[in-house]
Amino acid sequence: MLALVLLLAGAGGSDNDMTMTGASQCIVKASTSEGGTTQRPQVPLSPRGAQTQPSWNEEQTENAAIITNVARTRNLKPRAAVIAVATAMQEATLHNLHHGDRDSQGLFQQRPSQGWGTVAQVTDPIHASNKFYDGLVEIPNWDTKDLAHVAQGVQRSGFPDAYAKWETSAGKLVAQVWGADVIDCEQPADTANAGKATGAWQAPVGSKSSHNYSAGGSMWSSGTHTGVDFPVATGTELHAVGNATVVEAGWGGRYGNNIVLKMSDGTYTQYAHLSRVDVKANQKVTTGQLIGLTGATGNVTGPHLHFEARTGPAYGSDIDPVKYMRQRGITI
């Protein structure tokens, strides 16, 4: 369980004094990890007024994780995710609603008639989150202003103060996803490291996947498809989807040349049928790093990338890779 020191600031005041007067003085204590002492990201909070802290179910926490990881992929500060998650709490209680006031829909109750996107887009959590962040970054000093003030600047709600009561709850969810340490408010902030995003994710190649996960058929030796395929030509550059450690690199039988990575969150990803492998076992890799080239080795009918998400390093621990990547803010 992550421990957070929550700072209470006085309510009210003009736009000029709507700044995070307490949280801006916080730093994060260094923590010891596998690689030694590192500076971890901070999730600064400055809640105003009474806070609402309900319990959230699996669907709601998953939506909060998507919102948070979209912020990470955009290299925004954790504060952005806190504002966005709190907004989705107020607008839709973290449910991806297909109804609302007039034509409002989705996590943020965005209206197609006001240019937020089509119905399909505003009910896609990744698209909706990106649209929210597009508006957020246009607000000057969004990262130091009061949460409700910034949320209202994006949303234009009829109840502009209602966002404030969700800040503490949003902060806890964001901290769990982001991997934040305890906030220490006794010293000035370390501005050199504050807000640096860590653990961002990306797609392995620049095309959309095909062949549904777990689809049946004789074309798969196990009888079902344990991943998804990207129909790309031999020699297409392959990139790590996140920060990871290589646990397997080389020939993998029916997988041909393959790579298995242990991701920073303890899950695993696999990349198969490669024409070239550019990494070695135990090597550390970072998001977007070139790890090999796609090909047509192993049990294949043509060149493509076979991509799996797993709970463990071995065959048989596969999970839905499309859902896995969506939870990390990426559509494949």
Side-chain angles (χ1 to χ4, degrees):
M1 179 66 67
L2 294 168
L4 293 178
V5 178
L6 305 180
L7 304 176
L8 299 179
S14 66
D15 287 354
N16 291 333
D17 63 22
M18 287 183 177
T19 58
M20 297 167 55
T21 54
S24 62
Q25 297 303 309
C26 295
I27 66 168
V28 182
K29 292 179 178 178
S31 64
T32 301
S33 64
E34 182 179 347
T37 300
T38 58
Q39 192 77 15
R40 298 291 296 275
Q42 66 180 31
V43 180
L45 302 178
S46 185
R48 296 179 182 271
Q51 297 293 290
T52 300
Q53 299 190 57
S55 298
W56 304 104
N57 64 26
E58 182 178 356
E59 175 203 355
Q60 292 166 307
T61 54
E62 181 175 310
N63 284 331
I66 292 173
I67 295 169
T68 300
N69 281 314
V70 170
R72 296 170 77 177
T73 63
R74 292 175 64 122
N75 288 326
L76 293 173
K77 299 178 182 180
R79 179 67 180 172
V82 173
I83 297 169
V85 170
T87 300
M89 287 175 172
Q90 170 59 25
E91 296 290 352
T93 58
L94 288 177
H95 289 295
N96 191 21
L97 299 178
H98 290 263
H99 59 81
D101 177 46
R102 289 164 283 189
D103 61 334
S104 301
Q105 299 197 51
L107 287 170
F108 298 93
Q109 289 292 276
Q110 294 162 337
R111 297 181 61 189
S113 64
Q114 293 186 345
W116 291 94
T118 65
V119 171
Q121 287 174 326
V122 300
T123 53
D124 172 6
I126 295 177
H127 173 90
S129 299
N130 271 307
K131 290 295 288 185
F132 181 88
Y133 292 128
D134 286 346
L136 179 142
V137 297
E138 293 298 318
I139 299 174
N141 302 315
W142 62 264
D143 54 335
T144 58
K145 289 183 179 292
D146 172 68
L147 182 147
H149 176 75
V150 178
Q152 173 64 3
V154 179
Q155 297 290 109
R156 304 298 182 188
S157 169
F159 304 94
D161 297 326
Y163 302 108
K165 64 179 178 286
W166 301 105
E167 182 164 350
T168 296
S169 185
K172 290 180 177 179
L173 289 183
V174 170
Q176 290 169 7
V177 174
W178 211 292
D181 287 325
V182 176
I183 293 179
D184 183 348
C185 301
E186 297 178 353
Q187 304 177 55
D190 179 357
T191 56
N193 290 313
K196 285 187 178 179
T198 60
W201 297 72
Q202 70 168 59
V205 292
S207 68
K208 294 297 183 183
S209 62
S210 63
H211 288 143
N212 292 338
Y213 169 69
S214 76
S218 59
M219 63 187 301
W220 296 293
S221 57
S222 64
T224 58
H225 198 206
T226 53
V228 292
D229 292 340
F230 292 84
V232 292
T234 295
T236 300
E237 289 190 351
L238 170 65
H239 302 275
V241 298
N243 296 335
T245 301
V246 179
V247 296
E248 182 178 338
W251 188 254
R254 63 182 178 273
Y255 286 115
N257 294 319
N258 87 127
I259 298 169
V260 177
L261 301 181
K262 183 178 182 180
M263 311 309 296
S264 60
D265 61 4
T267 60
Y268 294 78
T269 56
Q270 184 201 30
Y271 315 77
H273 309 309
L274 310 182
S275 63
R276 192 181 82 192
V277 174
D278 290 344
V279 292
K280 297 179 180 180
N282 300 317
Q283 179 179 339
K284 302 288 186 183
V285 297
T286 58
T287 304
Q289 181 174 330
L290 177 66
I291 59 175
L293 300 179
T294 62
T297 58
N299 184 22
V300 297
T301 57
H304 68 278
L305 168 68
H306 174 86
F307 174 74
E308 288 189 20
R310 297 173 171 178
T311 58
Y315 171 81
S317 61
D318 53 278
I319 55 178
D320 186 343
V322 174
K323 182 178 180 180
Y324 173 87
M325 292 300 292
R326 282 182 63 84
Q327 291 172 339
R328 289 152 179 80
I330 301 296
T331 298
I332 60 172

